[in-house]
Amino acid sequence: MESTSSEQSSAEQERPPRDVDPREPLARLRNELKTGSDGLSAREAERRAAVYGRNEVRREHHGRLTRELARQLVHPLALLLWAAGALAVVAGTDVLAMAIVAVILLNAGLALLQERQAERAVEALAGYLPAHSRVVRDGREQTVEAAELVPGDLLLLEEGDKVPADARLVSGAVEVDLSMLTGESAPAERTAAEPVADLPTLREPNLVFSGTACTGGQATAIVFATGRHTELGRIAALSQRTRREESPLERQVKRVAWLIAVVAVGVGGAFLLVGTASGLPLRDALTFAIGLLVANVPEGLLPTITLALAMGVRTLARQGAVVKRLSAVETLGSTHVICTDKTGTLTRNRMRLHTIWTPQSGELSGEGPTRSEDVLRLARSMAECTTVSRAQDGAFAGDPTETALVEGAARLGHEPHPDERDARRKALFRFDPRLRLMSVVSDTGAGLLLSVKGAPEAVLPRLTGGTDTETVRQAVEAMAGDGLRVLAVATRKIDRDEAPSRREDAERDLELLGLVGLYDPPRPEVSDAVLRCHRAGIRVHIVTGDNGTTAAAVAREIGIGERRLHVIADAEAVSEQQLDELLVSPGEVVFARASPETKLRVADALRAQRQVVAMTGDGVNDAPALHRAHIGVAMGRSGTDVAREAATMVLTDDNFATIVKAVESGRRVYDNVRKFILYIFAHAVPEVVPFLLYALSGGAVPLPLTVLQILAIDLGTETLPALALGREPAEPGLMTRPPRRPGRGSGVITRDMLIRAWAYLGLISAVLVLGAFFYVLWRAGWHPGAPTAEGSALHEAYLTATTATFAGIVMCQVGTAMAARTDRASLRAVGLTSNPLLLGGIAFELLFTAALIWAPPLQAIFNTAPLPWDVVVLLLVFPVLVWGADELRRAARRRRAAG
C-alpha cells in the first residue's frame, strides 16, 4: 500500500497544472484559480504544493555519473589506448602502461566536465529565484519560502523584490527589470490594467515573470504559474532538451579511431597468419603480431589532439574569447553562418545625438550650439524628459538613450542640471513599452509645461490638428534610413488648476518640437571583420529587436548584405517555409523586431540545411538558441550568467571582430590537427615494414625494430614535435578558403592525406630506414638466415643495426615534421624559424634518442647500442631527403594548381 501511495504522489507532482490563461478577465482568472482577496488557506496551499510540486527550476538527470564516465572510457581512441596499455603490459613495460591509463582517465575527465555544461546553465537559472516571498494566506500577510508558492497565491511585491513566480497584477503598479528575458535595459512599467490584444506574453502590461526584479512601486499579484511551468522554467526545459551534439572533429576522430583499429587488428591478424605460414615459431609470430599492433596504434594521438585544442583555447582567451569546450575550437573553423545581435556587438553601444529636425529649421547637425529658438526649445524639453543623474566624476549616469539626450542638449547650448530638473518636476509618467512614450510635467515659474518623448508613430497621433504629419513622416524615414534611432519630442502648456493626474489626460493636443536622431556607431574594426568573413565564404545575418530600417542601415554601413540584403521588418511573422527560403537564398538577412525564439528558429533552420552556425546572445531567453547553435556566443560584459553558462564561447569584449578572430583560430587549429595526424601516420609505415619484412622472409631477416623501441617512438620522440605542430602559424590564404562542407573531402583524414602519409613520406622513410639497417648488418658480414641471437657472433652488429633503424625513424620524423608544416606552400613561405616550439621539440627528440643510444642504463632496457660515426653521418642526411622529396611534391602541386 505504501508503494502504491508513493507512486500516486509522484505522479501527481509530475502532473502539470490546469491550463490557465493569465490574460482572461480578472474575475474569471480568480475563479479558475479559486482565490480571492484573502488569498489561499494554508491547508489549500499545502494541497496544491503536493499537486503542482515545488516552485523550483529543476535539473533533469539524463544519466548517472558512472554511466557518462563509462561512455567516455569506451570512446574508440580510448579503446585503442586500452589495447596499447595491455600490449605494454605484455611487453613488460608497466610504467608505460600506467602512463597510457593516466592519459585515458585525463581525457575522460575532461569530456565528462564538458557534459555537465547544460546542467550548470540550469543551476544558473535557479540563482535568479529569491529564497523567500511575501504572500497573503488566510487573510493575513506572511513570509514563506519561494519554493512553496503555488498557483493561486496572492503575492505582495515592492521595490527591491525579486519576482518568485509568474503572476498577474490585481492592484498597484511596479517597474520591473526584464532585461534577463527581453534584453531591454530600461525597466518596464507593469500595472493592474486590462490586457492588450495581440501582444506577446512578455510585453503584457499586467504580467510579471519569475526571476525578474522590481525596481520601483508596489503591487499585489495572483500567481498563475510556478516551477517548470513559468517562463524561466520553460527556458530551463529548452536548455536541457537542446543537448550538445558531437562537433565535426569529435565525429571525425571517432572515424579515424575505427579506421586505425581496423587497420591495426587486420594487419596484425593477417601477418600473424603469414608469419606462421612462413615457418616462424608461434611465439615469434605472436611477438611480430604484437609489434604490428603497437606500430599501428598512435598512442600519442588522443592526448596530442586534446593538448592542441587546449593551446587553441588559451590563444583565443588572450584574444578576448573564452572557449569552454575544447572541440569547439575546431567547430569554429567550420562555421558557415554567423547570426549576430546588433547593439553592442556590431556597434559600440554608446548612443550619441547625431541629427535633429525641427518644423522651422529642418534637418540640422546635433553637434554644435545654435541661437535658433526652436532648437533651444527642443534641447530643453528633451533634457527635461529624462531621469538621468550626475555621477561623482560629473558625467551623466542612467539609461544610454537618455544619457545621449542630455549630452546632446548640452552640445546644442542648453546645459542640463538634474537636481534642478527634479526640483521643478510635478509629475512623471515613466516610459511605457505599450505606448512607447514617456512624459513629465514641470513648473517653469510661468506655468506648467508637459514634455513628451517617444517613438514618432506614437507621438504623431497625439499632435494638434494643424501639424503637417506627412512632412514629419518623410523626415523620420530619412533619418531612420541613415541608421539613426529616431525619437519625437513634443510639448504642451498646462494651466496650474488643470494639472493632470492620468497620463491619458496629459499626453494629448501636443505641439511637435522636433525629431532627434541618435546614432550608435559601428565598432571601427567590424567592417574589416565582415569583409574577412565574406572572403572566407561565411555569411553574416543580423537578428535584432531594433527597427528594420535602422538595422539595415547599420548592416550596409559595415558591409553586411553587400551583394544582396533581405530585411525582415517583423521576424516573428515569418513562416517556417519563408524562413527556409530566406536562409537558402543568396545574400544576407536582417531579422528585425526579433525575439529570442526567433534565434532558436533560425538556428534550427540552418542546422536542417547542414550549415554550421555561430549564434550570439546575452539574455536568459537566448539560452536555448545558444545551446542549439553549433557555437553559442555569449556577451561577457552585457550578458546574463545564464547566457554565459549556456554558451560555448564567451566574448570578454562583446565584439563581433573577436568572433572572426576565433573562426580564424579554429581553422588554424583544424589545419594543425591534420598536420600532426599526417606526421603521426607517416611513421606507421617505417614501423610496420620491418615486421612485414621479418614475416615474409620467414625469419631469415631478423626483426629490424623491437616493440619497446616502437613505444619509445610513439610515446617519446614523437609527442613534442606533434604538439608543436599544433602551434603552427596559419598558412597563407587561410581566410580566403570557403568553409569546409561535410562529405567533400575536407575531413580530418582524406585520401590525399593517406597517400602523402603512407605512400610518399612513409614509404621514403621506410626505404631509408631499412637501408641503414642492412648497411650495418652487411658491413659486419651478415647474410640472410645468419644467426643474430644473443651469444652469436653477429649479435652486437644486430643490436647496432636495430639501433640504426630506431634512430633512422627518428631522423625521418625530423624531416616529416618540417614537411608537415605546410599543405601547399613552401617552407620558405612560412619561415624556417616561425615555429620555435617545433625546433625545441626536435631538439628534445634528438637528445632523447641520443640518451637511449649512448646511456648504458637505457641501452639495457631498449636493447640499443652506440652507433659508429659513419652511420651517424648517414642518418643526418635522412631529414633533408624526406623534407626535400615532399618539397618537390608540393612545388609540382602548386604548378598544377597555377596551370
Side-chain angles (χ1 to χ4, degrees):
M1 289 297 291
E2 289 180 4
S3 175
T4 304
S5 174
S6 174
E7 289 173 3
Q8 288 175 343
S9 174
S10 176
E12 283 181 336
Q13 288 188 17
E14 291 300 318
R15 187 194 314 158
R18 182 174 49 209
D19 290 334
V20 173
D21 183 1
R23 290 179 284 195
E24 63 187 355
L26 188 56
R28 186 181 302 170
L29 180 65
R30 286 183 182 275
N31 185 57
E32 285 276 340
L33 292 171
K34 294 182 172 55
T35 189
S37 58
D38 289 341
L40 301 175
S41 67
R43 186 167 57 189
E44 175 63 14
E46 187 176 344
R47 188 193 69 80
R48 293 190 186 190
V51 173
Y52 299 144
R54 289 172 65 80
N55 178 37
E56 296 173 329
V57 177
R58 289 182 295 178
R59 184 176 69 202
E60 297 178 16
H61 293 279
H62 291 272
R64 296 283 182 186
L65 177 66
T66 52
R67 190 163 64 235
E68 292 183 14
L69 183 60
R71 189 166 63 246
Q72 299 303 330
L73 294 178
V74 296
H75 181 282
L77 268 181
L79 291 175
L80 286 175
L81 289 174
W82 284 120
L87 292 172
V89 172
V90 171
T93 54
D94 295 341
V95 174
L96 285 175
M98 287 188 287
I100 291 171
V101 171
V103 167
I104 296 169
L105 295 177
L106 175 63
N107 282 282
L110 289 172
L112 189 62
L113 288 175
Q114 295 155 17
E115 290 295 322
R116 295 294 180 184
Q117 184 176 328
E119 294 186 4
R120 288 198 301 271
V122 175
E123 288 165 0
L125 281 169
Y128 281 88
L129 296 178
H132 295 87
S133 301
R134 292 184 305 121
V135 297
V136 175
R137 285 184 182 172
D138 292 320
R140 59 188 178 84
E141 180 183 329
Q142 50 188 285
T143 300
V144 300
E145 285 189 28
E148 295 176 358
L149 287 178
V150 295
D153 259 326
L154 201 59
L155 188 63
L156 302 177
L157 297 172
E158 63 181 21
E159 182 177 346
D161 288 345
K162 276 190 175 182
V163 181
D166 290 3
R168 173 171 169 176
L169 301 190
V170 296
S171 67
V174 289
E175 285 187 334
V176 184
D177 179 3
L178 293 172
S179 59
M180 59 168 284
L181 293 177
T182 64
E184 296 177 357
S185 58
E189 189 175 341
R190 292 292 184 257
T191 62
E194 290 300 314
V196 178
D198 302 325
L199 269 186
T201 304
L202 287 175
R203 297 191 181 277
E204 272 293 343
N206 54 20
L207 300 183
V208 291
F209 299 95
S210 176
T212 59
C214 294
T215 59
Q218 288 183 325
T220 305
I222 297 177
V223 174
F224 65 83
T226 58
R228 60 195 177 96
H229 303 287
T230 63
E231 194 71 16
L232 202 65
R234 183 182 66 84
I235 295 167
L238 281 172
S239 297
Q240 292 182 99
R241 280 202 296 271
T242 51
R243 303 298 290 172
R244 181 182 75 83
E245 297 184 3
E246 289 181 330
S247 74
L249 180 63
E250 288 171 316
R251 289 194 296 270
Q252 292 180 37
V253 165
K254 279 192 175 181
R255 286 198 290 270
V256 171
W258 288 121
L259 172 65
I260 294 170
V262 169
V263 170
V265 174
V267 170
F271 286 113
L272 175 61
L273 297 175
V274 170
T276 306
S278 301
L280 284 177
L282 181 59
R283 179 169 179 167
D284 290 347
L286 283 172
T287 301
F288 144 75
I290 289 173
L292 275 179
L293 285 171
V294 173
N296 276 286
V297 174
E299 291 84 357
L301 180 59
L302 190 59
T304 302
I305 289 177
T306 300
L307 291 172
L309 294 175
M311 288 188 285
V313 166
R314 194 162 59 248
T315 300
L316 285 174
R318 287 197 295 267
Q319 296 174 340
V322 178
V323 178
K324 302 194 298 180
R325 192 171 72 235
L326 292 181
S327 61
V329 177
E330 179 274 331
T331 309
L332 278 162
S334 310
T335 301
H336 301 117
V337 179
I338 300 174
C339 296
T340 177
D341 293 312
K342 179 181 75 68
T343 304
T345 307
L346 300 177
T347 64
R348 297 182 179 181
N349 197 20
R350 279 188 239 149
M351 286 287 184
R352 179 182 176 86
L353 179 64
H354 183 276
T355 304
I356 59 172
W357 178 93
T358 68
Q360 294 81 15
S361 302
E363 186 173 307
L364 299 169
S365 167
E367 292 299 317
T370 176
R371 295 182 179 180
S372 173
E373 181 58 30
D374 59 322
V375 174
L376 287 174
R377 289 180 66 200
L378 172 64
R380 281 193 294 267
S381 283
M382 71 188 198
E384 197 75 15
C385 193
T386 62
T387 57
V388 298
S389 59
R390 287 271 191 190
Q392 290 184 349
D393 60 0
F396 295 107
D399 178 77
T401 299
E402 293 193 344
T403 300
L405 290 177
V406 294
E407 290 174 346
R411 291 199 302 275
L412 291 173
H414 172 74
E415 186 64 36
H417 298 284
D419 293 339
E420 295 177 9
R421 175 204 63 196
D422 293 344
R424 59 178 172 261
R425 180 167 294 166
K426 298 302 179 183
L428 168 63
F429 302 106
R430 293 187 180 275
F431 178 76
D432 187 324
R434 290 179 304 144
L435 303 175
R436 303 179 69 190
L437 289 173
M438 174 186 172
S439 57
V440 298
V441 179
S442 304
D443 188 345
T444 63
L448 300 181
L449 186 70
L450 175 78
S451 298
V452 180
K453 77 169 188 292
E457 55 267 35
V459 174
L460 289 180
R462 291 172 166 78
L463 300 179
T464 56
T467 307
D468 183 0
T469 56
E470 186 56 36
T471 301
V472 178
R473 287 192 175 93
Q474 290 175 3
V476 170
E477 285 298 317
M479 293 169 73
D482 291 334
L484 304 180
R485 181 184 178 189
V486 185
L487 296 176
V489 181
T491 188
R492 179 165 80 92
K493 291 181 179 179
I494 303 172
D495 292 336
R496 290 185 183 278
D497 56 354
E498 295 179 2
S501 59
R502 300 188 310 166
R503 72 184 307 158
E504 50 264 39
D505 296 331
E507 296 166 347
R508 60 180 176 81
D509 301 329
L510 303 175
E511 174 195 355
L512 181 70
L513 294 178
L515 302 174
V516 177
L518 301 177
Y519 183 56
D520 184 10
R523 294 176 180 267
E525 63 273 19
V526 164
S527 295
D528 180 63
V530 170
L531 178 62
R532 294 177 68 205
C533 281
H534 291 164
R535 287 175 177 169
I538 300 170
R539 293 201 292 171
V540 182
H541 301 316
I542 297 178
V543 188
T544 178
D546 278 358
N547 172 278
T549 305
T550 302
V554 172
R556 293 188 179 98
E557 183 175 351
I558 61 178
I560 293 176
E562 196 173 44
R563 296 181 180 176
R564 186 174 182 183
L565 184 67
H566 306 276
V567 182
I568 309 303
D570 185 4
E572 294 298 287
V574 176
S575 68
E576 294 301 317
Q577 181 179 351
Q578 290 171 324
L579 182 61
D580 289 338
E581 291 172 355
L582 267 174
L583 294 175
V584 80
S585 64
E588 293 165 314
V589 186
V590 170
F591 294 96
R593 301 299 184 203
S595 70
E597 283 74 13
T598 304
K599 292 185 176 182
L600 185 58
R601 292 176 60 210
V602 170
D604 279 331
L606 288 169
R607 290 185 70 106
Q609 296 170 10
R610 301 187 70 190
Q611 307 249 6
V612 177
V613 57
M615 176 77 70
T616 70
D618 54 13
V620 169
N621 247 9
D622 290 330
L626 295 177
H627 264 301
R628 187 61 180 150
H630 295 91
I631 297 292
V633 183
M635 303 297 112
R637 292 181 179 175
S638 60
T640 60
D641 290 341
V642 175
R644 287 191 285 267
E645 287 291 350
T648 312
M649 182 171 76
V650 178
L651 301 182
T652 58
D653 55 3
D654 292 10
N655 194 340
F656 176 83
T658 304
I659 303 175
V660 182
K661 291 179 185 175
V663 170
E664 181 176 9
S665 289
R667 289 190 173 193
R668 180 177 58 82
V669 167
Y670 184 83
D671 277 4
N672 290 348
V673 167
R674 296 189 70 219
K675 287 172 185 176
F676 66 65
I677 289 178
L678 167 72
Y679 170 76
I680 290 171
F681 272 32
H683 309 143
V685 176
E687 290 175 2
V688 167
V689 167
F691 289 90
L692 173 62
L693 185 64
Y694 168 67
L696 292 178
S697 68
V701 175
L703 272 174
L705 196 64
T706 68
V707 173
L708 281 179
Q709 289 168 355
I710 290 176
L711 288 172
I713 293 170
D714 289 351
L715 288 175
T717 64
E718 182 177 85
T719 304
L720 281 186
L723 284 175
L725 285 172
R727 296 295 299 274
E728 190 66 32
E731 275 195 62
L734 178 71
M735 287 297 281
T736 59
R737 304 199 305 244
R740 299 189 303 276
R741 292 280 180 178
R744 295 193 182 181
S746 59
V748 171
I749 291 184
T750 62
R751 186 187 64 173
D752 287 346
M753 176 196 279
L754 293 179
I755 291 174
R756 185 183 178 193
W758 289 342
Y760 198 76
L761 292 170
L763 192 58
I764 292 172
S765 298
V767 170
L768 292 174
V769 164
L770 288 178
F773 174 74
F774 286 120
Y775 170 74
V776 173
L777 284 182
W778 283 329
R779 192 183 60 172
W782 172 86
H783 59 84
T788 57
E790 190 172 354
S792 66
L794 291 172
H795 181 65
E796 289 300 321
Y798 170 68
L799 289 180
T800 304
T802 56
T803 303
T805 305
F806 164 70
I809 292 176
V810 173
M811 299 307 291
C812 289
Q813 279 182 327
V814 175
T816 302
M818 301 306 290
R821 293 186 61 193
T822 66
D823 186 40
R824 294 180 177 84
S826 67
L827 185 59
R828 180 187 299 174
V830 297
L832 180 65
T833 60
S834 58
N835 188 351
L837 285 177
L838 179 60
L839 299 180
I842 290 173
F844 168 81
E845 72 174 330
L846 293 178
L847 290 173
F848 182 74
T849 303
L852 264 61
I853 294 174
W854 280 285
L858 296 177
Q859 289 175 347
I861 296 173
F862 290 93
N863 292 321
T864 56
L867 294 175
W869 68 267
D870 58 328
V871 176
V872 172
V873 170
L874 175 65
L875 296 179
L876 288 176
V877 180
F878 286 8
V880 178
L881 293 176
V882 173
W883 163 76
D886 193 70
E887 190 77 14
L888 292 174
R889 184 197 66 83
R890 279 181 278 121
R893 187 178 181 184
R894 290 196 299 273
R895 284 196 297 271
R896 286 197 303 271

